[in-house]
């Protein structure tokens, strides 16, 4: 069953027969007491009613989160979303966290660093061949501001698109000077340009990576201070994680000592399967500090949104998937960037029986 079949939170039965008004439109950032009272008024599901529990979770998130402003970080947080496995939710996580933070009043920039350009598509950003893009920035040293576009749907959300040209960049970069630091130089230049223009400071930068550990991903590790690893709650989920962590350790040692894996997000979580619960448990055991409490459920709405050139935050902001990303964005915004070191590869190896085979 998906959320489309579940009905909406407005259908929740109220044991006292009162009307539970959970519409969020009138809730401002200062309405904490009203939000708490509304959450209190929700019916209490028992453990044997998982459907009601899910509806209640959505209702609570809707009341607590929608219309809320998130705290602004002291300085720009640059977060690379990486996992060399394909289809684990990197792009989906990048665009939805970015949109959620921008909707919550922050300035957010997405660097689409994958030749497939999926992040650009999902943000409704033009990325046809010939559009100024990250390719010109990386390969021709073009100024980043000439290629950055603002999202048509969410004010304060910006995107450096990727075009098909980027598929050649991996090879072209090999022989170039400072091939690992070109994205960082370009981003520094963009921040300076924004300051000169009197534009607001960017609060969050997300870099969407291709499913490989080549030079494009290396550039993404060098530009960032934080790595966010989405992990799909399925078999083999942890396979390859130790290779990813080894690469990050190498980057730390040689190119970017300030880099750390700050965040792990469990995606495509299906609470009804034992496997998803086991994978989640295993990840939390090995990375207790870094794994966000929020998991992202498998959701039809999330997978539909890109075909409309939208994030799920604008496509269906009240759906379970959008509310989960909104809650994950709040967690990300509220916890200070963990400055601890990258988890060791040994830790990751212990994390999965399938690893390193
Ligand atoms: N929570 C989710 N529920 C349902 N489908 C999802 C979810 N997250 C991602 N998807 C879908 O899974 C596919 C792979 O996700 P994507 O973010 O493109 O992965 P990656 O960028 O790691 O290759 C896409 O078709 C996407 O729409
Ligand atoms: Mg992708």
């Amino acid at each position: 069953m998906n959320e489309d079949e579940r009905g909406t939170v407005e259908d929740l039965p109220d044991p006292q027969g009162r009307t539970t008004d959970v519409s969020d439109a009138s809730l401002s950032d200062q309405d904490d007491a009203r939000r708490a009272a509304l959450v209190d008024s929700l019916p209490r599901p028992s453990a044997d009613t998982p459907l009601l529990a899910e509806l209640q979770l959505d209702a609570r998130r809707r009341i607590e989160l929608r219309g809320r402003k998130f705290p602004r970080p002291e300085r720009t947080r640059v977060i690379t979303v990486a996992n060399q496995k394909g289809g684990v939710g990197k792009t989906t996580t990048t665009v939805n966290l970015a949109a959620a933070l921008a909707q919550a009043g922050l300035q957010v920039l997405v660097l689409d660093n994958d030749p497939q350009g999926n992040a650009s598509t999902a943000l409704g950003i033009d990325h046809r061949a010939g559009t100024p893009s990250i390719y010109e920035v990386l390969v021709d040293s073009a100024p980043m501001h000439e290629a950055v576009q603002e999202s048509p749907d969410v004010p304060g959300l910006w995107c450096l698109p990727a075009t098909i040209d980027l598929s050649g960049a991996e090879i072209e970069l090999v022989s170039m000077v400072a091939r690992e630091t070109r994205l960082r130089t370009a981003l520094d230049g963009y921040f300076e340009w924004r300051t000169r223009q009197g534009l607001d400071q960017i609060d969050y930068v997300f870099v969407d990576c291709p499913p490989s550990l080549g030079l494009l991903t290396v550039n993404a590790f060098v530009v960032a201070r934080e790595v966010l690893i989405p992990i799909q709650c399925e078999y083999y989920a942890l396979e390859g994680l130790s290779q990813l962590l080894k690469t990050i350790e190498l980057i730390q040692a040689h190119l970017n000592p300030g880099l750390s894996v700050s965040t792990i997000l469990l995606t495509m979580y299906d609470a009804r399967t034992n496997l998803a619960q086991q994978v989640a448990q295993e990840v939390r055991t090995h990375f207790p500090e870094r794994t966000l409490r929020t998991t992202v459920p498998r959701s039809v709405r999330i997978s539909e949104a890109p075909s409309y050139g939208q994030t799920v935050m604008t496509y269906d902001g009240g759906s379970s998937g959008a509310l989960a990303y909104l809650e994950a964005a709040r967690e990300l915004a509220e916890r200070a960037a963990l400055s601890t070191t990258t988890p060791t590869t040994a830790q990751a190896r212990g994390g999965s029986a399938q690893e390193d085979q």
Side-chain angles (χ1 to χ4, degrees):
M1 182 171 50
N2 60 56
E3 74 248 30
D4 312 322
E5 294 154 348
R6 283 183 204 139
T8 69
V9 74
E10 280 78 14
D11 303 334
L12 279 174
D14 183 326
Q16 275 89 50
R18 295 163 308 189
T19 319
T20 308
D21 176 13
V22 293
S23 65
D24 51 84
S26 58
L27 287 170
S28 80
D29 209 30
Q30 280 79 45
D31 281 341
D32 278 350
R34 254 189 86 206
R35 288 184 200 258
L38 279 169
V39 169
D40 266 356
S41 73
L42 291 171
R44 302 266 165 259
S46 67
D48 57 354
T49 54
L51 173 59
L52 191 54
E54 278 184 51
L55 285 169
Q56 201 217 20
L57 178 66
D58 284 358
R60 182 184 62 69
R61 284 179 171 159
R62 199 168 296 182
I63 295 163
E64 285 184 345
L65 298 173
R66 293 194 78 192
R68 203 184 264 289
K69 299 275 176 259
F70 293 166
R72 176 153 272 145
E74 244 168 67
R75 59 175 182 165
T76 308
R77 287 176 71 181
V78 184
I79 304 176
T80 282
V81 181
N83 188 331
Q84 78 275 33
K85 282 164 79 90
V88 298
K90 289 182 291 296
T91 302
T92 308
T93 296
T94 301
V95 298
N96 288 304
L97 288 179
L101 290 163
Q103 284 180 333
L106 303 175
Q107 294 286 321
V108 185
L109 171 66
V110 170
L111 305 181
D112 189 349
N113 193 33
D114 181 349
Q116 295 186 71
N118 294 152
S120 311
T121 303
L123 294 172
I125 300 287
D126 184 10
H127 64 113
R128 283 169 293 186
T131 308
S133 71
I134 193 167
Y135 174 84
E136 287 77 9
V137 169
L138 284 172
V139 175
D140 302 335
S141 305
M144 195 181 277
H145 72 263
E146 289 180 0
V148 168
Q149 301 177 43
E150 189 167 13
S151 148
D153 301 312
V154 185
L157 178 56
W158 309 82
C159 176
L160 174 65
T163 63
I164 192 69
D165 288 338
L166 192 62
S167 49
E170 197 86 65
I171 293 164
E172 286 175 75
L173 281 170
V174 171
S175 57
M176 297 189 94
V177 180
R179 58 189 183 180
E180 296 97 351
T181 55
R182 298 180 77 84
L183 193 56
R184 182 165 73 192
T185 306
L187 186 64
D188 288 345
Y190 179 66
F191 289 160
E192 283 162 21
W193 175 83
R194 282 187 75 101
T195 307
R196 282 200 303 277
Q197 298 296 308
L199 294 169
D200 287 339
Q201 175 186 293
I202 295 281
D203 298 305
Y204 281 84
V205 179
F206 288 94
V207 192
D208 187 29
C209 284
S212 66
L213 295 173
L215 271 174
L216 289 173
T217 301
V218 168
N219 266 274
F221 285 148
V222 172
V223 79
R225 286 187 66 87
E226 299 179 50
V227 181
L228 186 159
I229 305 177
I231 294 184
Q232 188 183 1
C233 296
E234 297 214 331
Y235 199 58
Y236 294 132
L238 298 174
E239 195 188 25
L241 196 57
S242 66
Q243 197 195 348
L244 175 61
L245 297 177
K246 261 184 222 151
T247 305
I248 294 170
E249 279 173 21
L250 278 174
I251 302 279
Q252 279 178 324
H254 299 287
L255 292 164
N256 184 7
L259 187 69
S260 73
V261 176
S262 67
T263 312
I264 292 175
L265 177 63
L266 296 162
T267 64
M268 297 184 230
Y269 183 78
D270 185 344
R272 293 163 305 164
T273 69
N274 289 335
L275 179 63
Q277 291 176 18
Q278 281 163 14
V279 170
Q281 194 50 52
E282 209 174 330
V283 172
R284 289 190 192 287
T285 304
H286 288 278
F287 308 109
E289 301 284 307
R290 296 172 169 85
T291 311
L292 294 185
R293 286 189 311 279
T294 313
T295 53
V296 178
R298 223 172 233 298
S299 145
V300 174
R301 292 307 211 199
I302 289 179
S303 58
E304 281 173 353
S307 54
Y308 296 89
Q310 292 200 32
T311 66
V312 78
M313 309 311 300
T314 53
Y315 176 63
D316 188 355
S319 63
S320 300
L323 291 164
Y325 269 116
L326 186 56
E327 176 125 56
R330 176 165 77 162
E331 259 195 82
L332 191 71
E334 286 188 346
R335 48 197 249 159
L338 291 173
S339 53
T340 41
T341 51
T342 302
T344 62
T345 44
Q347 245 181 319
R349 217 172 287 128
S352 168
Q354 299 118 31
E355 254 186 280
D356 288 345
Q357 282 175 6

